[in-house]
Amino acid sequence: MTDLYVSLFISNYSPTPIEKVISLVSRTGRDLQRYDTTGYRQVVGCIPYRYKNDGEIEVLLISAQKKGKGMLLPKGGWEIDESIEEAALRETMEEAGVTGHLEETLGKWQYKSKRHNMVHDGFMFPLLVSEQFEQWPESGFRQRKWVCLSEAIDLCQNWWMREALDAFIDRKCL
């Protein structure tokens, strides 16, 4: 009888497709962090965007982890066990709680981290958002805000992210 019960239970089980499973825990630590041959930390991120009904583009900005430190684009470390595209999607899900269609990279920017006093290579990708989640790994300490392109440039605290936004505007609007 037990074998029959288990068989029926399994046959009625319909698992969630693996691509729909969202982790509510961010990766932490630098054990898997990727560095280039000169020692620069490799960082990837996205410019999450959507089209309003009138065709205007909106960009999703997130708050910095430290209170009062402004708004920025989701980004984080590219780890050795993932492709650059996987890292960009993971970081955007962890920090902004969105996913969608990842487009061709906008470029690479070198910048010096204020917190760790080291040089990073920052790669940015446009991400056409198709899904926004109510709960995401960093929802407990990050805010997010949809803004027009000009407001995104005004609010974004990092010069290299503003340059990435300019590259995005050149691609999408010119």
Side-chain angles (χ1 to χ4, degrees):
M1 185 65 175
T2 303
D3 291 339
L4 179 60
Y5 173 76
V6 170
S7 166
L8 289 172
F9 177 76
I10 291 172
S11 67
N12 290 330
Y13 177 70
S14 61
T16 301
I18 194 73
E19 64 272 5
K20 291 292 186 182
V21 175
I22 302 300
S23 171
L24 290 179
V25 179
S26 292
R27 285 187 174 195
T28 58
R30 300 255 167 106
D31 296 340
L32 298 176
Q33 184 60 62
R34 188 181 298 254
Y35 296 86
D36 75 359
T37 56
T38 59
Y40 294 173
R41 182 171 176 237
Q42 304 296 283
V43 171
V44 296
C46 288
I47 298 176
Y49 74 97
R50 67 184 181 190
Y51 291 99
K52 291 174 42 178
N53 288 339
D54 63 3
E56 182 183 357
I57 293 175
E58 288 184 311
V59 171
L60 184 64
L61 296 180
I62 60 170
S63 61
Q65 283 188 352
K66 304 287 184 194
K67 289 188 184 252
K69 294 285 186 176
M71 302 294 283
L72 44 83
L73 295 165
K75 62 97 181 111
W78 174 14
E79 299 186 351
I80 59 174
D81 65 340
E82 60 192 350
S83 70
I84 192 170
E85 295 85 3
E86 290 168 333
L89 289 168
R90 176 183 53 77
E91 284 294 341
T92 303
M93 182 61 219
E94 287 177 1
E95 294 188 353
V98 295
T99 191
H101 174 72
L102 193 68
E103 299 173 7
E104 185 179 330
T105 184
L106 291 164
K108 177 175 87 170
W109 289 264
Q110 286 189 341
Y111 68 97
K112 190 170 186 178
S113 168
K114 293 175 191 160
R115 191 170 7 160
H116 299 290
N117 199 29
M118 66 186 302
V119 177
H120 295 8
D121 286 334
F123 300 85
M124 293 299 284
F125 294 84
L127 177 79
L128 179 57
V129 173
S130 61
E131 197 163 2
Q132 180 172 317
F133 298 91
E134 293 302 314
Q135 294 290 317
W136 69 97
E138 298 185 11
S139 61
F141 52 90
R142 288 201 194 268
Q143 302 297 311
R144 59 187 177 189
K145 182 178 182 181
W146 287 101
V147 297
C148 68
L149 290 169
S150 61
E151 189 176 0
I153 290 172
D154 289 342
L155 291 175
C156 196
Q157 67 182 24
N158 296 330
W159 68 265
W160 72 276
M161 289 184 177
R162 288 191 300 272
E163 284 190 9
L165 282 164
D166 286 336
F168 173 79
I169 290 168
D170 288 347
R171 182 182 293 178
K172 294 292 180 184
C173 302
L174 300 179

